[in-house]
Amino acid sequence: MRSDRVKHWLASPEYTHLVDTCVLAHANLEAPRRLLSRKVATRCVAIARQLGLDEEQIVHLELAARVHRVGELYLHDSLRKKSFLDLSSVEMKAYRQYPVFSAFRLSDDARQICDVILKHREYSSGDGFLQNDADAKVPLSARILCAVTEYEELMMYRGITLELQDAIQRRMLKNHIGRYDPQVIRASMCSIVEENILH
């Protein structure tokens, strides 16, 4: 049952604007990117529940996951058709800007969601698309969206066989350079196990 605060927010102009942005992304992004956003949103919600985020945070995270790629519409078409691992250094420099474009596309009222989207490709190591230092505050929702976005993108573009899918999962678990939040990775692996049991 939804709280009064969440119900009030769902009736707000901010929420309506976010829904419009979801529709825009769905209408204009290529089919693989739309599918990717749906998968990311579903897994983000599962992980958020495991980590005990409250209802409002979960709703915000799900919306952020659905609109986080809308900034790709401002990039050259060729950049939207590749995995981030397949981009040249020049392409990657341009691609790193999409979280900024996504955040700018949202209304000023959607500050919490903008912050998640803006920081969702920042890593625990301090590296990332915006090159923030390791001490920069990255919200838990953004850390979830980071790990899930990269996992689902790797699975879509590189997980062609069961062996490759297993290698991707092992790579995420090893988290060699401290790229991801360890609690998020543990919850991600639990969500994968639950998903496989259900199917």
Side-chain angles (χ1 to χ4, degrees):
M1 191 162 181
R2 294 199 150 135
S3 69
D4 288 341
R5 183 174 167 161
V6 171
K7 285 178 186 172
H8 177 72
W9 184 73
L10 293 175
S12 70
E14 173 193 350
Y15 178 75
T16 302
H17 182 78
L18 286 165
V19 170
D20 289 345
T21 306
C22 288
V23 170
L24 174 75
H26 186 78
N28 293 293
L29 287 170
E30 290 82 2
R33 292 302 219 224
R34 292 196 306 265
L35 175 61
L36 196 52
S37 291
R38 283 196 301 273
K39 287 184 169 206
V40 167
T42 300
R43 190 168 309 282
C44 279
V45 168
I47 292 168
R49 287 197 174 116
Q50 283 188 36
L51 293 177
L53 272 68
D54 65 37
E55 180 189 10
E56 188 175 359
Q57 291 171 312
I58 291 171
V59 170
H60 285 169
L61 175 56
E62 182 177 10
L63 279 168
R66 291 192 179 278
V67 300
H68 77 285
R69 290 190 179 274
V70 75
E72 290 185 358
L73 295 173
Y74 298 93
L75 302 176
H76 191 275
D77 289 352
S78 64
L79 299 179
R80 298 198 305 262
K81 295 179 178 164
K82 297 180 182 179
S83 165
F84 69 99
L85 291 174
D86 297 326
L87 299 174
S88 69
S89 59
V90 172
E91 289 173 323
M92 192 62 180
K93 190 172 181 180
Y95 186 70
R96 283 175 180 263
Q97 300 308 308
Y98 93 79
V100 176
F101 296 144
S102 294
F104 280 156
R105 180 63 183 80
L106 301 180
S107 70
D108 290 339
D109 296 329
R111 285 193 183 93
Q112 286 177 305
I113 294 173
C114 284
D115 196 41
V116 170
I117 290 172
L118 192 60
K119 296 177 179 173
H120 85 277
R121 295 305 279 265
E122 301 309 297
Y123 306 129
S124 298
S125 62
D127 246 346
F129 280 23
L130 304 180
Q131 300 292 304
N132 284 338
D133 59 73
D135 295 328
K137 182 70 176 155
V138 178
L140 177 57
S141 293
R143 287 180 271 144
I144 293 169
L145 187 53
C146 176
V148 174
T149 294
E150 296 199 358
Y151 171 75
E152 293 294 351
E153 191 166 334
L154 285 167
M155 292 296 274
M156 177 174 279
Y157 289 99
R158 299 282 178 91
I160 301 163
T161 65
L162 288 175
E163 291 79 12
L164 290 170
Q165 291 172 18
D166 183 61
I168 289 166
Q169 289 167 1
R170 287 175 189 274
R171 173 187 171 169
M172 297 292 287
L173 265 173
K174 285 180 183 171
N175 195 16
H176 283 302
I177 55 174
R179 192 171 185 132
Y180 311 112
D181 181 327
Q183 68 174 331
V184 171
I185 292 301
R186 286 191 296 274
S188 297
M189 292 305 126
C190 288
S191 78
I192 293 163
V193 169
E194 284 177 5
E195 186 179 79
N196 289 331
I197 289 170
L198 290 172
H199 295 298

